[in-house]
Amino acid sequence: MNMEVKIKNRDERELEDWVAADCHGLNFFEIDKSLQDLLTLYLPDDLREHMIPVYRQLGEVAGNRLDELARICESHMPILHPRDARGRNRDWIEYHPAFREMEKIGYGDFGIHCMSRKEGVHGWPTKVPPMAKYVFQYLFTQAEFGLMCPISLTDTSSMLLERYGPEAAKDKFLDKMRSQDMEELYRGAQFMTEKIGGSEVANLAVTARQENGEWRLYGDKWFCSSADAEVSLVLARPEGAPEGNSGLAIFAVPRTLDNGERNNYRIVRLKNKMGTKSMASGEIIFDGAVGYAFGDVGAKPNPGLRQMMDQVSMSRLSHGVRAAGMMRRCLNEAMVTARTRDVFGEPIINKPLLRRQLLKLMVPTEQVLSMIMHVSSVLHKAEGGDEAAARLNRILTPLVKFRACRDNVPVATGALEIRGGNGLIEDWVNSRLVRDAHTGLLWEGTSNINALDITTRAVAKTGAHEDLADDLKDRLQGANGLPGQFAGELSGLVDRAKKFAEDIAKSGNETRARQASDALYHVTTATLLATEGAALGQAGGDARRMLLARLVMDTRLRPHDPLSNGDSRFEIEAGNYLLNDADVPLDVAADLLRI
């Protein structure tokens, strides 16, 4: 991890020196050797060379000023003011200046919300491809998770507006939603959830009526993140439309009307959330708010929900990226702690059981990094019209959302435990990471919703598991440097996972949907890790990802007896290399795989 942590001699230490260090003050890009290696595989040379100085700049900001601002915002949450001094319903949200400074970093300085929607951001001549954009989200989230929600919503809302929205709304809002000028920026939001529930959208009750040639919205939305966004995309049912999904339409609802007056909706309460405390989520009542309808709202079926799912899919990938960033921060915190906390005369990283716990944090962290780089690369091809990539994307996106957000929780908790009692103290970042980690389980579909999307739709209806298996096996066949027996076993596991997912889908056995999704995720990430490690090793670099692939196979894809002592030679030997910063040569990695 290339973390230079200065450790004083035991005799030179003051009492405070015995408290383990943290990651604040480090450059989050420079300490991330895994990311730097994968950039050589997933980004074209010209794009990588252009972006690395910008990544380094964000890594410095994330590890220093952004980290400071995020800590301030955690204890200075947004405040809703329902009325003005004259008693009028002119609700507004007060933010601490630290939040506004964080917005300037995310929107203004780095343009994360617009870099893949317009040309020229950071001097790149075209739109920044997804696999480069999501690195910015990954680094930013290591310091601040909450604000990445509004940034991502602004990104995907402008995409949806450009793709499906009416010309009048595009003319009014699109350029401002893609501005880096904080004085003219329009932030975007997406309001779907109602009291009846988040996933069962067929029963949504917010209605839209045509009044004097305008669409006006009425009803309550229950969970609205970025509640005071300048433009919100709202899912509503036009008056007279059929019940169920087919009657829903999207409306772009501005916060302020052309005459400068507030639109007719109110933020009636801010949510007192467990996590993402810096970002305002609230409840909203529409009382005749003007909205701009997407498409032909009289169509049967109305395409509104299908259109909105484009944004949901992009948000799911973004949640996977955010989980990857948070897990990296957790792993880095755990590693710094382990190297600077002494117990019984030596750093705890030397303790065998602690080393095993560090590996349990490292493996899912590296799995998801490979996954987000791969999925964003596939998305880039799909956006270019590659139909095979689009089919792959159909299954990869819910896979990364399903598993990454689940893994984030135990990784965050494990890192807190490694810090010990201080991890529970708000002076340190660990407790915030634990709280925020749970958010990803809930937004854009719970684990159950995503697992069912994988098995009952991506597998049963689309057959995307076939494309996934073919792609993985092609990668294994083309990988030089992998021992033949290892590659053969992994290829066999791909076949078994594909068949298992297919059997679950055909049988309609929903109780095994998560198990089938787990299997597909683990064979995908094991294949990516193995082939990435081989490619890096062939180029004379670090082949350690091959060892991580074996650990995924051993712990997630091979049978084991919980009451057996077992053979832990590989885990111990692999750990000796993986917990060390030195590169692992290809021949060493290949020999270890034969244990």
Side-chain angles (χ1 to χ4, degrees), residues 113-322:
H113 68 297
C114 65
M115 63 173 58
S116 63
R117 306 301 165 199
K118 69 177 185 179
E119 299 176 349
V121 178
H122 296 301
W124 186 248
T126 61
K127 297 176 182 178
V128 175
M131 56 278 194
K133 175 186 74 173
Y134 284 116
V135 174
F136 286 91
Q137 291 197 13
Y138 169 82
L139 291 170
F140 190 98
T141 303
Q142 291 182 44
E144 164 60 12
F145 177 79
L147 179 56
M148 188 47 64
C149 176
I151 291 173
S152 176
L153 284 171
T154 305
D155 175 10
T156 57
S157 295
S158 76
M159 175 270 292
L160 211 64
L161 177 60
E162 181 179 46
R163 188 174 293 179
Y164 303 118
E167 292 302 320
K170 292 180 187 180
D171 293 342
K172 289 178 184 290
F173 310 135
L174 206 51
D175 287 345
K176 291 182 178 181
M177 294 177 77
R178 294 173 176 175
S179 176
Q180 291 179 254
D181 183 341
M182 300 306 294
E183 294 300 317
E184 70 174 19
L185 171 68
Y186 272 23
R187 300 156 187 83
Q190 164 201 323
F191 298 163
M192 292 177 62
T193 306
E194 298 181 13
K195 292 178 182 178
I196 196 167
S199 301
E200 193 178 2
V201 296
N203 293 324
L204 294 185
V206 169
T207 58
R209 304 174 193 163
Q210 272 204 311
E211 300 175 0
N212 300 320
E214 294 180 317
W215 283 102
R216 292 184 174 270
L217 275 62
Y218 296 86
D220 293 12
K221 288 292 182 182
W222 180 242
F223 203 106
C224 305
S225 291
S226 193
D228 59 343
E230 284 79 6
V231 181
S232 303
L233 302 188
V234 181
L235 206 57
R237 192 178 309 280
E239 197 170 49
E243 297 298 316
N245 293 337
S246 63
L248 298 172
I250 300 175
F251 295 85
V253 180
R255 180 165 172 78
T256 305
L257 299 175
D258 292 343
N259 61 7
E261 292 293 315
R262 269 291 307 279
N263 206 348
N264 291 333
Y265 69 86
R266 296 176 56 207
I267 306 169
V268 294
R269 182 171 67 161
L270 294 186
K271 300 291 192 181
N272 185 13
K273 297 173 294 181
M274 171 181 168
T276 65
K277 293 179 178 291
S278 64
M279 185 265 296
S281 299
E283 300 166 22
I284 287 178
I285 295 178
F286 294 97
D287 188 20
V290 173
Y292 296 80
F294 279 40
D296 180 6
V297 296
K300 296 181 180 180
N302 196 298
L305 181 59
R306 176 180 56 79
Q307 293 169 346
M308 187 66 87
M309 289 307 296
D310 285 2
Q311 186 180 33
V312 170
S313 179
M314 297 292 290
S315 295
R316 285 177 174 175
L317 174 54
S318 178
H319 267 291
V321 175
R322 288 176 244 175

Side-chain angles (χ1 to χ4, degrees), residues 348-360:
I348 61 173
I349 196 170
N350 295 338
K351 305 298 183 182
L353 186 55
L354 195 281
R355 293 173 74 81
R356 188 169 194 269
Q357 295 309 111
L358 288 171
L359 289 180
K360 291 175 73 174

Side-chain angles (χ1 to χ4, degrees), residues 331-352:
L331 175 61
N332 287 344
E333 290 289 334
M335 292 294 292
V336 168
T337 299
R339 288 171 173 170
T340 60
R341 182 183 176 195
D342 271 16
V343 173
F344 302 119
E346 62 180 346
I348 61 173
I349 196 170
N350 295 338
K351 305 298 183 182

